[in-house]
Amino acid sequence: MHDLRRQALESGKTVSRKARSKNGSPAPSRPNSAPSSRAASRSRAVSRANSDEEENGNLSDETSFSTNSIDDLLNGDTPDPIADTWRTDLADRIQELIDRKRSSVQGREKCLATYVRTLTAQYAEEDIRGKEADLVVAFLKSIKAEASERETILAMKALAMTVITSPSDLIYDAVASPLKRVISDSPSIPSKAAAVHCLGTCTFFGGASDDEILDNMAYLMEIVASDGSFIEAQDEPSPVIAALEEWGSLATLIDDLADESEEAADYFVDQLSSSDPAVQIAAGENIALLYEKSYRPLTEDDGEYNEEDIIADPDEIPGVPKLIKNYNVYRRTDVLKDTLSDLATLNTRRLSKKEQKSLRTSFADILDSVEYPTHGPRYQNAINQDTGKRYGSRMTVRIHKEGVMRIDKWWKLHRLQALRRVLQSGFVTHYERNLVVFESLP
């Protein structure tokens, strides 16, 4: 993929710092790398198919970068069946995408949709191996041209699927600048949001250095802090939600967030007053992650310490070290707890019953983690009569009939959500066959 570097608009990549210790949230395997105003107008060239999907409130796996709720996330989906001839069909679509000769917008949309659908349902690393550079160049042509909103979003989804299927330390350099241009300049709000998600995925899996990860987290925070006005999307929720979600995903790669925590917490707390429940939940989940990461295992080198900064395992499991507070996340935790408590018991007619249930459940978990940072999502204090110990975090993802993945830490939930945003119904397939995905959630 050496040709990718020549395709990058900016070649000033910093040298990656020595890999940090990641005791709290292990980094994924990275092959060949360290792995209410409406300010913006819609794109005029929206395809009829995409308009129909939006009117129905439903986007397919090919165009969606979102999951509806945690319950939907945990229940999962079965990918749509594809023909037994998928390898031949994929090879034809790859050639068609690379050639682009005499292609139409509708033809490229159909081709991209087939490519994404196939890579979602199948782990096709062998089938795209050696073609990644040409494919990324083809995707960037569609992203830069923005001939239609649907083609642009499909190209970004295809790019994200490609980098998860076949990660490379050269992809980030090639795509960062074009994606940021879409985020800043596109007239389409859905394209901006999709570009934010694609940037997050390419930063995570595409070979970004530690400095570039932190730079992009700061960039995403500008979007959050400005309520979208930083990218000409004032008060548009979808780009702000995307920025919050991708910030949380990238934060799992950073072991020590002491320098970023206080400012980030201020902006996340501000977003708790948003009128959009998805914004509130995304901000709240980032707050829970910050509190979780603010504690580290106590070591002999710590010497004297304040007992108030120590958290012991509630069940006193032998061999499990105590945790010590590494830094303060937020100046007024008492005020924050009151806000979280209000959201956990919110009763309002402006939200549907489903939205209220999701909001209450999420913020009950977030409040519990702020009070007890060792508690992960869906933590239960009830005692298991068989073991005599607390149930603890009971969030699980079923892998087919027998396998179960425990999501007992906020960093795990953030990574699960990030992967499901891209892989959609193909998550289980990739978790079983794609080592990069498997090692992202050990």
Side-chain angles (χ1 to χ4, degrees), residues 124-420:
E125 190 275 333
E126 292 183 2
D127 301 271
I128 67 173
R129 187 185 302 163
K131 307 179 183 71
E132 298 96 331
D134 291 334
L135 282 167
V136 171
V137 171
F139 301 150
L140 288 178
K141 288 180 180 178
S142 293
I143 291 169
K144 293 175 183 177
E146 287 197 82
S148 78
E149 185 181 87
R150 181 170 171 80
E151 181 186 353
T152 305
I153 294 175
L154 281 167
M156 290 187 282
K157 189 65 183 288
L159 175 57
M161 285 299 309
T162 300
V163 74
I164 286 182
T165 301
S166 182
S168 165
D169 61 356
L170 300 178
I171 287 182
Y172 175 79
D173 272 348
V175 305
S177 181
L179 289 175
K180 287 184 177 180
R181 186 205 63 78
V182 174
I183 295 170
S184 298
D185 301 338
S186 176
S188 162
I189 298 300
S191 293
K192 287 177 182 288
V196 170
H197 284 305
C198 189
L199 177 66
T201 303
C202 291
T203 303
F204 200 105
F205 293 102
S209 70
D210 289 346
D211 286 334
E212 287 164 331
I213 292 171
L214 289 169
D215 287 345
N216 280 339
M217 289 172 65
Y219 175 76
L220 295 170
M221 192 60 72
E222 290 276 10
I223 299 173
V224 173
S226 67
D227 289 326
S229 64
F230 179 66
I231 57 169
E232 301 299 324
Q234 179 67 34
D235 293 331
E236 291 283 358
S238 59
V240 175
I241 295 167
L244 285 164
E245 291 174 338
E246 296 305 329
W247 190 98
S249 173
L250 294 180
T252 69
L253 293 171
I254 306 300
D255 184 46
D256 188 351
L257 289 171
D259 293 338
E260 292 78 23
S261 183
E262 185 172 347
E263 181 181 44
D266 280 336
Y267 291 133
F268 297 151
V269 170
D270 286 345
Q271 291 299 332
L272 296 180
S273 61
S274 170
S275 60
D276 190 298
V279 172
Q280 293 173 299
I281 291 172
E285 289 176 348
N286 284 348
I287 290 171
L289 179 66
L290 288 175
Y291 274 85
E292 178 179 88
K293 292 177 73 67
S294 68
Y295 282 78
R296 59 174 175 77
L298 181 66
T299 66
E300 294 179 355
D301 296 334
D302 286 312
E304 295 183 3
Y305 52 81
N306 189 336
E307 285 291 342
E308 294 180 355
D309 292 337
I310 299 297
I311 294 182
D313 183 88
D315 292 319
E316 297 296 334
I317 300 175
V320 175
K322 295 180 179 180
L323 299 179
I324 184 170
K325 184 190 292 184
N326 202 28
Y327 52 85
N328 288 318
V329 174
Y330 189 61
R331 300 182 307 277
R332 295 298 306 276
T333 298
D334 55 336
V335 176
L336 173 60
K337 288 179 182 179
D338 289 341
T339 302
L340 297 176
S341 179
D342 289 342
L343 289 168
T345 56
L346 184 68
N347 187 4
T348 177
R349 292 184 178 180
R350 74 175 176 84
L351 299 179
S352 67
K353 290 183 178 179
K354 183 177 180 180
E355 288 175 325
Q356 285 196 75
K357 179 182 178 182
S358 178
L359 198 72
R360 291 171 182 169
T361 301
S362 295
F363 278 99
D365 288 349
I366 293 162
L367 173 60
D368 186 45
S369 295
V370 168
E371 293 178 331
Y372 306 100
T374 56
H375 292 187
R378 304 288 167 87
Y379 190 94
Q380 287 193 2
N381 282 304
I383 301 297
N384 185 324
Q385 297 302 318
D386 294 331
T387 65
K389 297 178 180 178
R390 292 174 177 82
Y391 280 104
S393 293
R394 303 191 70 180
M395 180 179 286
T396 59
V397 177
R398 186 163 297 280
I399 307 297
H400 294 314
K401 293 182 179 180
E402 298 180 358
V404 173
M405 180 199 308
R406 288 192 66 202
I407 306 299
D408 55 359
K409 298 291 183 183
W410 286 100
W411 71 262
K412 287 186 179 181
L413 179 59
H414 277 276
R415 289 195 183 177
L416 173 64
Q417 290 174 325
L419 288 167
R420 275 297 308 269

Side-chain angles (χ1 to χ4, degrees), residues 11-24:
S11 59
K13 180 175 179 180
T14 60
V15 178
S16 177
R17 296 196 302 271
K18 196 170 183 179
R20 302 180 182 185
S21 168
K22 294 181 174 63
N23 296 325

